[in-house]
Amino acid sequence: DTGVSQDPRHKITKRGQNVTFRCDPISEHNRLYWYRQTLGQGPEFLTYFQNEAQLEKSRLLSDRFSAERPKGSFSTLEIQRTEQGDSAMYLCASSPPKDNFETQYFGPGTRLLVL
Amino acid sequence: AQKVTQAQTEISVVEKEDVTLDCVYETRDTTYYLFWYKQPPSGELVFLIRRNSFDEQNEISGRYSWNFQKSTSSFNFTITASQVVDSAVYFCALSEVSGGYNKLIFGAGTRLAVHP
């Protein structure tokens, strides 16, 4: 079984630019989560998809952030007009459609640096 | 509010020492799950264990063991005979079921350094 994959692994951008990250979950996992992790902290929840529906967005997700999962498979997270405070590791996780407490399996993350 | 506290920011041990990582949680839910994840330098969070709130039996997996005590709201993790490959950041997490899905609340992590 292939794990969760994320692309790119690293991204350096200038303030004000737009960036987009991609997450491919484990096949047949219908639940997909995005988290953000800043230096020295644990991951913080950003948003959740069940199939193609985005069911929850954290208040951490400002208007500059948008996430999609158009066909219920891969997901994208876009940040518009990046700010230095957006520098973080963006982690994607997926879980199978068994019950609400199913384990989330994480990808390797995309490390974003905004200059 | 749901909260996870990992009071130990960094722990340094010499190989073959036993080490315990502490985790204390707060929740009003009667049904919840607790998790431990390992984050090596590569960055990927590796799942180690999941434990539900109704099962207080300790669990052992090789050199790893977990002690869940509901009375003290703790879910501690012990590595026996530590090895250099155990060096990583370890996160304890609590599930918060909201709207039919499982949102994880993480602690700040404990960085473990195992020296040869």
Side-chain angles (χ1 to χ4, degrees):
Chain A
D1 213 7
T2 331
V4 177
S5 61
Q6 292 187 244
D7 184 69
R9 294 291 307 276
H10 303 273
K11 178 72 178 178
I12 300 175
T13 191
K14 292 183 180 178
R15 190 177 53 184
Q17 298 294 305
N18 299 344
V19 295
T20 300
F21 310 142
R22 176 179 170 126
C23 169
D24 287 88
I26 294 171
S27 61
E28 298 178 358
H29 280 195
N30 70 330
R31 300 177 188 217
L32 187 146
Y33 305 77
W34 284 97
Y35 290 81
R36 183 173 71 184
Q37 184 181 17
T38 53
L39 207 58
Q41 299 298 316
E44 295 175 289
F45 170 80
L46 290 180
T47 190
Y48 160 71
F49 288 87
Q50 185 164 312
N51 299 310
E52 65 278 4
Q54 186 175 20
L55 299 183
E56 176 77 13
K57 291 198 298 185
S58 161
R59 55 183 171 77
L60 292 176
L61 221 61
S62 74
D63 293 343
R64 296 183 297 105
F65 287 71
S66 63
E68 294 182 345
R69 196 183 182 197
K71 296 182 181 178
S73 56
F74 72 91
S75 175
T76 58
L77 177 68
E78 181 184 15
I79 309 174
Q80 296 182 327
R81 304 180 304 281
T82 52
E83 301 173 355
Q84 288 182 328
D86 297 330
S87 296
M89 172 84 93
Y90 291 84
L91 292 160
C92 176
S94 70
S95 64
K98 289 184 183 176
D99 63 58
N100 292 340
F101 290 101
E102 272 303 309
T103 298
Q104 295 179 27
Y105 295 91
F106 284 80
T110 295
R111 196 177 295 275
L112 172 67
L113 177 61
V114 182
L115 301 176
Chain B
Q2 315 258 9
K3 187 179 177 183
V4 175
T5 302
Q6 295 180 255
Q8 304 150 308
T9 307
E10 292 188 34
I11 300 177
S12 181
V13 299
V14 176
E15 213 170 13
K16 298 184 183 175
E17 280 186 37
D18 298 348
V19 57
T20 296
L21 310 181
D22 297 333
C23 173
V24 174
Y25 63 92
E26 295 175 31
T27 181
R28 293 181 188 172
D29 293 345
T30 53
T31 302
Y32 53 90
Y33 274 69
L34 294 160
F35 300 79
W36 275 94
Y37 285 87
K38 173 182 180 180
Q39 188 174 44
S42 59
E44 181 171 349
L45 281 166
V46 178
F47 166 71
L48 295 177
I49 190 171
R50 178 181 79 159
R51 176 51 56 101
N52 77 54
S53 53
F54 298 108
D55 182 3
E56 289 193 67
Q57 279 195 0
N58 290 337
E59 181 153 343
I60 298 175
S61 175
R63 296 183 298 105
Y64 295 171
S65 62
W66 290 269
N67 181 279
F68 175 33
Q69 292 198 344
K70 232 171 161 177
S71 60
T72 55
S73 297
S74 65
F75 186 44
N76 296 337
F77 173 32
T78 297
I79 301 174
T80 302
S82 59
Q83 300 176 0
V84 173
V85 293
D86 296 327
S87 297
V89 182
Y90 291 86
F91 290 97
C92 179
L94 168 70
S95 64
E96 174 183 317
V97 177
S98 168
Y101 70 97
N102 173 17
K103 177 168 68 176
L104 293 178
I105 309 298
F106 285 86
T110 297
R111 182 177 298 276
L112 174 65
V114 182
H115 303 284

